[in-house]
Amino acid sequence: MDFFSDYTMTIEGAGVSSAKTFDAVNPATEAVIAAVPDADRAIFDRAVASAKRAFPAWSEKPWRARQDLVSKLGDLIEQNAEDFIRLLTMEQGKARAGAEWEIGGSVAWCREIAKQALEPDMVENTDGRTVETSRTPLGVVGGITPWNFPLLLAVWKVAPALVAGNTIVLKPSPFTPLCTLKFGELTRGVLPAGVLNVISGGNELGEWMTRCEDIRKISFTGSTATGRKIMASASGNLKRITLELGGNDPAIVMPDVDVQATAKELIWAAFQNSAQFCVAAKRLYIHEDIYDALAEALVEYARTVKVGDGLQQGVDLGPIQNAMQFEKLKDLLADSKKNGHRFLLGGQIEDGPGYFVPVTIIDNPPEDSRVVTEEAFGPVLPLLKFRDTEDVIRRANDTEYGLAASIWSADADRARNIAQRIEAGTVWINEIHTFSPHVAFGGHKQSGIGIENSLHGLAEYTNSKTIVTNRMAPVS
C-alpha cells in the first residue's frame, strides 16, 4: 500500500474512484500533492446503502467481537505510523511533534474505546417483575470531521460508533482528506464490508449527509456557523446530533504563579498546532500585579518558537492549513493594526509560498475588539489585564462560546472556586489540553451539543430501550 499516491474512497470494503477530483494542497508550499476523488450523489447513495446493508449483522455481533475489531484499527494505525505522520504533515502542515501526538492519540483512542461497553441497567427485579433499560445502536451514523486534527477526530467518531453497533459513513474535510482515505483503505478486509465507508467531497456532500433519511445520526466537529446549519437540516427527521463546535477559551492567570514556568505553559496552551485548536487558550487574562513581567516572559519564550515547514527538522509550528483561514487571519491582523493595537510580537506576514502566520501577541486590546471577541483559529493572542476576580469571571463568561478554559494559580482551591463559575464544558487548573477516551468532553452555549469520549459519549451512539416484564400471568 502506497500512502503517497492512489487515493480512493472505501465503500462496501472496496476502493472506489470518481470521475471528478479536487486538489489536496500542502499548506507549507502551496503545491498540489494529490488528486482527491470527489463523490457525486450516486457514490454517496452507494455508501449509505452499503452501511445500511451491513448494519443488521454488525449490530448483532457481541460487544466483545466489535471491541476486538475496533482495537485492531489501532494496530493498523500503529503499524503504519511513520507513513501517517509524514502524510499528516504534508496535508495538514503540523510539525513532527504534533503529528506524532495525533497519530499516537489515534492508536490510543481505538484501543481504549474498544474497552468500553454499556451494560444493561436492572431498575427493578422483584418477584415476578423486572424492569431493565439497555442501549441499542441507532443504525447508520454520518461522521463529518475537520481539518485541524483530521485522523484523531475521525477516530473519536468511528471508534464509539462501531463499538456501539452502528455502521458509519465518514466524510473528512476537503482540506485534509488524505490520511482518512488511507485509513479507510487499511480497514478493507479487516472490518466487514460496509461497516466503515469513507467518502470525500465538499460542502454539498455534507448537506446530503445531514438530509439523508437513512442516516440516523450526525457527529460533526467544526465551526459553530456550520453546526447551526446541520442542526436545522437534521431536524427534518429528528436525526440525532453531536456537535463539537467553536470556542473562545479564556485562560486566567492569578498573581501567585511562577511567571517564568507559567509563561512556557501558556505559550503552548495558546499556540499548539499553530493555534488551530478548538480548545486553544484564545484570551489570556493576566492579573495586573504580574502583567508586565508575564508579558515580557511570554514574548521572550515565544521568540524561541520556530515557525516553518513541518517536514523540516527543528520546526515547532507549521503553517495555517488553508488559504481561506489564512485570509481570515490576515484580515484580523489588519483590523488590529487599523485600530492601533500594540503588537508585542509578530503581526507581520512575509511574502512567499506557504500560509505562514508568525506567533503574534497583542498588548491589552479593548475587550470589544475583534481580536478578543472572535475565535482567531490561528497564532494571534491578546493579553488582557484584570484587577479583581469578579471582574475577570464576568469577562471570561462574556462570550457566546463555552468550550473550555484554564485557571493558573498556586492556590488550587481558589482556582477551583473560579473554575466552578466559568461557563465551559472543560476547565483545566494548572494544566491544559489533557484528554482521555474515558473523560467526557463537550461544550456549553454555542460551543456544541452532546458529549464525546467516556461512557457518556458512547451512549450518544445509542437509543435507550426499557423492557418491563411481568411474569405473573393474568388471572383468567
Side-chain angles (χ1 to χ4, degrees):
M1 174 176 164
D2 185 355
F3 266 71
F4 305 99
S5 65
D6 301 324
Y7 297 96
T8 56
M9 297 175 284
T10 297
I11 299 176
E12 205 149 16
V16 174
S17 300
S18 63
K20 187 179 177 183
T21 63
F22 59 92
D23 292 336
V25 174
N26 183 332
T29 64
E30 300 182 56
V32 174
I33 54 176
V36 182
D38 191 354
D40 59 20
R41 184 59 194 250
I43 289 174
F44 167 71
D45 289 341
R46 280 177 60 191
V48 175
S50 170
K52 190 175 180 180
R53 281 192 299 271
F55 172 69
W58 180 253
S59 64
E60 290 169 7
K61 281 184 177 290
W63 277 89
R64 184 70 260 171
R66 298 196 300 259
Q67 289 170 324
D68 287 344
L69 284 169
V70 169
S71 184
K72 286 182 181 178
L73 301 184
D75 297 341
L76 292 174
I77 297 171
E78 185 176 60
Q79 291 159 12
N80 295 275
E82 280 300 320
D83 285 334
F84 270 122
I85 288 167
R86 182 170 179 82
L87 183 59
L88 179 58
T89 295
M90 289 173 63
E91 70 167 335
Q92 202 283 329
K94 62 187 63 182
R96 170 84 193 195
E100 288 178 345
W101 185 86
E102 178 168 350
I103 301 307
S106 301
V107 173
W109 250 256
C110 286
R111 290 173 175 166
E112 291 302 309
I113 295 295
K115 298 174 183 177
Q116 296 178 354
L118 298 168
E119 301 295 340
D121 180 17
M122 186 64 72
V123 181
E124 181 180 337
N125 187 6
T126 58
D127 291 342
R129 188 173 190 270
T130 59
V131 179
E132 183 180 59
T133 300
S134 60
R135 310 297 301 195
T136 61
L138 299 169
V140 179
V141 169
I144 304 175
T145 57
W147 46 259
N148 56 338
F149 294 96
L151 187 61
L152 179 59
L153 295 183
V155 166
W156 278 30
K157 303 180 189 313
V158 170
L162 298 190
V163 166
N166 305 283
T167 55
I168 189 166
V169 176
L170 180 65
K171 175 197 172 297
S173 166
F175 293 120
T176 54
L178 303 182
C179 282
T180 310
L181 290 172
K182 287 300 177 183
F183 174 60
E185 185 176 342
L186 281 175
T187 68
R188 299 171 195 169
V190 176
L191 293 174
V195 167
L196 170 62
N197 305 273
V198 182
I199 54 177
S200 46
N203 291 337
E204 190 175 39
L205 178 55
E207 292 170 3
W208 296 336
M209 292 177 73
T210 60
R211 294 195 182 105
C212 179
E213 295 288 329
D214 288 328
I215 291 179
R216 301 291 180 85
K217 175 185 173 70
I218 292 289
S219 180
F220 168 77
T221 303
S223 73
T224 294
T226 303
R228 292 189 189 110
K229 293 177 182 177
I230 289 172
M231 188 173 183
S233 181
S235 68
N237 67 337
L238 296 182
K239 201 185 309 292
R240 306 294 192 270
I241 53 174
T242 298
L243 305 176
E244 199 271 276
L245 307 177
N248 193 0
D249 298 9
I252 298 172
V253 188
M254 303 304 286
D256 55 2
V257 299
D258 180 318
V259 167
Q260 294 298 324
T262 305
K264 180 178 178 179
E265 297 291 332
L266 291 170
I267 287 295
W268 297 114
F271 297 116
Q272 184 182 349
N273 200 36
S274 296
Q276 298 167 114
F277 203 168
C278 57
V279 292
K282 300 181 179 75
R283 295 174 289 149
L284 184 49
Y285 291 97
I286 305 170
H287 193 276
E288 64 180 10
D289 289 353
I290 59 165
Y291 182 90
D292 292 338
L294 183 54
E296 182 180 351
L298 289 166
V299 170
E300 181 181 5
Y301 185 81
R303 291 187 190 280
T304 70
V305 175
K306 184 177 180 180
V307 177
D309 186 337
L311 292 176
Q312 301 299 315
Q313 189 172 4
V315 167
D316 299 304
L317 298 176
I320 300 306
Q321 198 286 317
N322 57 78
M324 177 185 69
Q325 186 62 27
F326 183 57
E327 292 301 320
K328 288 181 179 179
L329 283 164
K330 286 164 67 175
D331 181 66
L332 188 66
L333 290 172
D335 179 78
S336 279
K337 290 176 181 177
K338 181 182 73 174
N339 285 285
H341 300 163
R342 181 177 176 232
F343 286 71
L344 299 179
L345 184 69
Q348 187 63 40
I349 296 175
E350 303 294 335
D351 292 333
Y355 308 131
F356 292 103
V357 174
V359 171
T360 298
I361 299 174
I362 299 178
D363 181 24
N364 205 31
E367 197 81 15
D368 62 353
S369 60
R370 285 181 56 197
V371 75
V372 176
T373 61
E374 296 183 11
E375 180 183 27
F377 223 68
V380 179
L381 178 67
L383 308 185
L384 301 158
K385 191 180 297 186
F386 77 92
R387 175 175 298 176
D388 68 80
T389 301
E390 292 300 316
D391 172 59
V392 77
I393 291 172
R394 178 190 60 77
R395 292 161 66 187
N397 287 334
D398 187 19
T399 173
E400 68 177 0
Y401 298 111
L403 190 56
S406 60
I407 318 293
W408 305 80
S409 175
D411 186 339
D413 290 334
R414 179 170 66 166
R416 183 174 173 81
N417 288 335
I418 296 171
Q420 289 173 331
R421 298 175 62 194
I422 297 297
E423 298 167 354
T426 300
V427 183
W428 289 284
I429 296 172
N430 295 328
E431 64 179 51
I432 197 168
H433 301 161
T434 48
F435 303 92
S436 167
H438 306 293
V439 175
F441 177 75
H444 294 186
K445 299 190 285 189
Q446 296 290 308
S447 285
I449 292 174
I451 295 294
E452 294 191 289
N453 303 324
S454 78
L455 293 181
H456 301 287
L458 184 61
E460 296 221 354
Y461 289 90
T462 66
N463 283 316
S464 65
K465 174 182 281 189
T466 298
I467 297 178
V468 181
T469 304
N470 189 338
R471 301 187 184 280
M472 303 297 289
V475 176
S476 59

